[in-house]
């Protein structure tokens, strides 16, 4: 057993009694109430999932294993001379809950090294995808294709004990994560570089190798590490994380679950928003013939978008109620490395003009920018101009968090997910009852 797996084993043994005790002794304690608006409104905010991998506070933003993103960037080991930490360190942290030492990071680098070779048939499946398939569709298909490699599926068939499920799930998770940079960059070269593939460099870390295979010079390695780390997880209820958990709860293996999570991420209200932001900005850039719009021109563009019945991509959030710290981290990076970039100037202008407009419009509960408002501008600046590809990078990052969650779901024996649906008649019967209880919870009518 690897030392990472050993450690994970000990952590799992320590966590199981906590969950068992909660279930056995406190299973009937009420945690939350559910209102009609939540039942109709996409279960928004109902506390009904558990994950220790990350937690999202509406005002503070995301914490991974209790650490804020600035703390993560400060504490995780970094490659020599780099500002951005090893992605491998984040994998270790999300799985075990501990900040790894340099040596522990090296062990994850070795683990990935051993597992990174992609079966030939995956390239063939990518090659065979019909023209104009979206990169996210190709990513999902490539991952699905590898389902035949699943250790968990084989072990399950052979009849292993429930308590051992996590072990082969961990193997699947590490195998898949190690291969994602190769899959992602092959999709890129296939779609945009005539399939001219750049071989992996076995001496490079996850982020650097990704940049190298994409064909981008430094500091794109830093951009990749930044990007993968900030996108890794956003607690359990967002569409991609929830989909991954939901599908895995049927004991579907990591390949099936991560392909599903990628499909959820590919929607424009979720991960695809990073592509949408760039598409929307480039439309304006072309219209302006490359000039920077005035505040009034930008305001007009935003209002035109809203008046056409569209959302302003990159703004708003289902949980956050302030500027996304992932946005701020990328903004700081941009102010340092690309302050004069015209697309960054557009993004900067949006930061100024959009929140007051959304407040004036009075619909969005959060007028502030989310991660996607800024991320494409950074990629664009460093030469990654094919914005259809941006969500693939989001997906590779997100797979890290969801894999960690699925390993833990299995380890703690979380059951099949099965919320209950009711009919409109039933909702009306409860709602129209003169004695119906009304919630006093802040935001419950939202
Ligand atoms: N532009 C215009 N209208 C917006 C808006 C925006 N950026 N954000 C919210 N609204 C609207 C909603 O469409 C909704 O309108 P209706 O009442 O007509 O249906 C109303 O404001 C209330 O929505 P909300 O409760 O504030 O937001 P939701 O939790 O329903 O949705 C989100 C959250 C992110 C889908 C929404 O803010 C949005 O569409 N933003 C733009 C797309 C985007 O950036 N998505 C990426 C999110 C981050 C990620 O997952 O990657």
């Amino acid at each position: 057993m690897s030392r990472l797996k050993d450690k994970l084993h000990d952590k799992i043994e320590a966590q199981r009694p906590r969950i068992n005790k909660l279930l056995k002794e406190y299973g009937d304690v009420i945690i939350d109430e559910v209102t009609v608006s939540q039942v109709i409104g996409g279960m928004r905010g109902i506390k009904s999932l558990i994950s220790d991998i990350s937690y999202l506070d509406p005002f503070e933003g995301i914490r991974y294993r209790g650490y804020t993103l600035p703390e993560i960037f400060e504490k995780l080991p970094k490659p020599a001379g780099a500002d951005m930490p090893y992605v491998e360190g984040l994998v270790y942290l999300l799985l075990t809950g501990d900040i790894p030492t340099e040596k522990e990071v090296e062990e994850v680098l070795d683990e990935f090294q051993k597992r990174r070779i992609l079966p030939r048939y995956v390239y063939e499946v990518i090659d065979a995808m019909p023209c104009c398939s979206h990169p996210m569709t190709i990513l999902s298909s490539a991952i699905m294709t590898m389902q035949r490699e699943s250790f968990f599926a084989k072990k399950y068939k052979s009849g292993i004990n429930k308590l051992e499920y996590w072990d082969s799930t961990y193997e699947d998770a590490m195998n898949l994560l190690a291969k994602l940079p190769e899959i992602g960059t092959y999709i890129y070269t296939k779609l945009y570089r005539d399939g001219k593939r750049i071989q992996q460099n076995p001496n490079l870390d996850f982020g650097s190798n990704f940049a190298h295979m994409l064909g981008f010079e430094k500091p794109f390695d830093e951009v990749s590490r930044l990007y993968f780390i900030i996108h890794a997880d956003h607690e359990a209820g967002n569409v991609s994380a929830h989909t991954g958990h939901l599908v895995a709860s049927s004991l579907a293996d990591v390949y099936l679950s991560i392909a599903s999570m990628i499909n959820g991420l590919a929607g424009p209200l979720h991960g695809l928003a990073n592509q949408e932001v760039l598409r929307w900005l480039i439309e304006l850039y072309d219209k302006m013939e490359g000039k920077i719009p005035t505040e009034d021109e930008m305001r007009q563009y935003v209002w035109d978008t809203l008046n056409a019945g569209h959302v302003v991509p990159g703004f708003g959030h289902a949980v956050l109620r302030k500027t996304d710290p992932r946005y701020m981290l990328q903004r700081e990076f941009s102010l340092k490395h690309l302050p004069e970039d015209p697309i960054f100037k557009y993004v900067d202008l949006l930061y100024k003009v959009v929140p007051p407009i959304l407040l004036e419009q009075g619909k969005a509960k959060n007028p502030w920018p989310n991660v996607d408002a800024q991320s494409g501008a950074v990629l664009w600046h460093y030469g990654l101009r094919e914005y259809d590809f941006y969500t693939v990078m989001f997906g590779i990052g997100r797979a890290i968090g969801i894999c960690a969650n699925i390993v833990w779901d299995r380890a703690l024996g979380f059951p099949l997910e099965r919320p209950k649906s009711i009919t409109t008649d039933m909702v009306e019967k409860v709602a129209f009852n003169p004695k119906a209880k009304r919630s006093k919870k802040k935001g419950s009518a939202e």
Side-chain angles (χ1 to χ4, degrees):
M1 221 192 256
S2 72
R3 280 157 43 115
L4 167 58
K5 203 156 133 186
D6 262 344
K7 184 161 202 179
L8 194 50
H9 172 267
D10 295 347
K11 297 272 177 180
I12 289 167
E13 290 299 314
Q15 184 70 357
R16 276 178 176 155
R18 289 179 70 191
I19 296 293
N20 288 341
K21 180 177 174 157
L22 281 170
L23 272 174
K24 280 207 180 99
E25 296 173 32
Y26 301 93
D28 56 353
V29 171
I30 294 166
I31 285 190
D32 209 354
E33 59 187 12
V34 179
T35 62
V36 169
S37 61
Q38 287 173 306
V39 171
I40 297 175
M43 301 188 281
R44 204 60 44 90
I46 301 172
K47 295 189 185 81
S48 53
L49 291 161
I50 183 163
S51 170
D52 293 313
I53 310 291
S54 68
Y55 176 74
L56 179 60
D57 179 89
F59 297 97
E60 185 192 56
I62 192 68
R63 277 180 185 259
Y64 294 159
R65 290 290 191 175
Y67 297 103
T68 62
L69 284 178
E71 286 165 352
I72 295 278
F73 282 95
E74 189 214 314
K75 288 180 192 296
L76 285 181
K78 301 176 177 74
D83 286 335
M84 299 299 158
Y86 284 108
V87 174
E88 288 84 346
L90 183 76
V91 173
Y92 189 99
L93 171 69
L94 294 187
L95 279 168
T96 66
D98 293 342
I99 298 281
T101 61
E102 301 260 353
K103 188 155 184 349
E104 286 164 335
V105 169
E106 269 171 37
E107 285 167 11
V108 183
L109 277 153
D110 286 347
E111 283 273 310
F112 280 172
Q113 198 53 40
K114 282 185 249 156
R115 301 166 188 258
R116 72 195 159 86
I117 301 298
L118 200 58
R120 183 73 247 153
Y121 63 80
V122 184
Y123 299 100
E124 289 166 3
V125 166
I126 295 173
D127 288 344
M129 290 297 287
C131 130
C132 307
S133 298
H134 191 278
M136 286 296 275
T137 310
I138 306 179
L139 177 63
S140 166
S141 308
I143 295 171
M144 283 281 285
T145 308
M146 286 196 296
Q147 194 274 331
R148 67 196 282 281
E149 310 293 334
S150 171
F151 276 109
F152 174 80
K154 290 186 189 92
K155 289 274 184 186
Y156 187 81
K157 214 167 157 187
S158 74
I160 46 164
N161 186 301
K162 270 183 169 194
L163 293 174
E164 292 166 26
Y165 284 172
W166 74 268
D167 187 310
S168 47
T169 302
Y170 165 87
E171 295 297 333
D172 283 352
M174 294 299 274
N175 282 337
L176 176 60
L177 290 178
K179 293 174 178 61
L180 284 177
E182 176 73 20
I183 298 177
T185 53
Y186 187 62
I187 293 172
Y188 182 78
T189 49
K190 177 75 198 159
L191 291 180
Y192 312 114
R193 299 274 156 94
D194 297 328
K196 290 193 190 81
R197 188 171 142 226
I198 301 172
Q199 295 290 336
Q200 306 202 16
N201 178 343
N203 301 316
L204 295 179
D205 62 275
F206 195 97
S208 302
N209 218 355
F210 183 84
H212 158 74
M213 289 189 284
L214 220 48
F216 288 103
E217 303 289 324
K218 280 177 182 298
F220 204 86
D221 55 338
E222 294 274 49
V223 173
S224 303
R225 285 191 292 272
L226 166 71
Y227 206 92
F228 294 141
I229 291 173
I230 62 174
H231 287 92
D233 206 21
H234 220 220
E235 78 169 30
N238 65 77
V239 171
S240 53
H242 188 196
T243 308
H245 166 80
L246 169 68
V247 175
S249 83
S250 73
L251 295 187
D253 58 59
V254 161
Y255 298 93
L256 295 169
S257 308
I258 296 295
S260 308
M261 131 1 217
I262 292 291
N263 296 343
L265 193 68
L269 294 188
H270 191 18
L272 207 79
N274 57 9
Q275 153 186 328
E276 291 303 286
V277 169
L278 253 286
R279 191 167 63 83
W280 183 65
L281 285 182
I282 295 302
E283 208 175 283
L284 178 62
Y285 185 77
D286 289 345
K287 221 158 89 182
M288 299 290 304
E289 295 174 338
K291 286 200 303 286
I292 309 296
T294 63
E295 276 185 36
D296 279 346
E297 284 166 334
M298 188 57 105
R299 263 189 219 107
Q300 190 57 50
Y301 189 58
V302 173
W303 273 117
D304 288 348
T305 301
L306 289 172
N307 292 335
H310 304 153
V311 294
V312 178
F315 284 77
H317 200 273
V319 177
L320 283 168
R321 291 297 175 258
K322 63 159 244 183
T323 298
D324 191 336
R326 302 172 298 174
Y327 175 93
M328 290 313 280
L329 274 163
Q330 295 180 94
R331 179 176 162 77
E332 280 159 27
F333 183 93
S334 304
L335 285 169
K336 187 167 164 197
H337 297 285
L338 44 126
E340 295 308 319
D341 183 281
I343 298 300
F344 172 63
K345 288 194 167 171
Y346 276 47
V347 169
D348 197 32
L349 197 51
L350 285 174
Y351 189 33
K352 207 168 174 186
V353 307
V354 173
I357 292 178
L358 286 178
L359 284 172
E360 188 184 331
Q361 193 205 28
K363 277 168 66 173
K365 294 187 190 72
N366 175 36
W368 302 106
N370 60 58
V371 63
D372 301 313
Q374 172 71 76
S375 60
V378 178
L379 301 177
W380 179 272
H381 175 80
Y382 287 108
L384 187 54
R385 297 278 162 102
E386 299 85 358
Y387 44 75
D388 281 10
F389 185 74
Y390 293 175
T391 319
V392 170
M393 286 186 66
F394 192 155
I396 294 174
R398 182 55 54 96
I400 297 167
I402 311 307
C403 279
N405 272 287
I406 294 173
V407 172
W408 275 95
D409 288 352
R410 289 279 201 279
L412 299 174
F414 289 154
L416 188 79
E417 191 180 309
R418 182 53 167 100
K420 182 89 186 83
S421 66
I422 51 178
T423 65
T424 308
D425 282 348
M426 290 171 183
V427 177
E428 284 176 347
K429 203 167 159 201
V430 177
F432 298 166
N433 181 343
K435 290 187 183 148
K437 278 192 255 157
R438 304 268 175 162
S439 175
K440 292 194 176 60
K441 206 168 57 172
K442 192 172 171 288
S444 59
E446 292 171 348

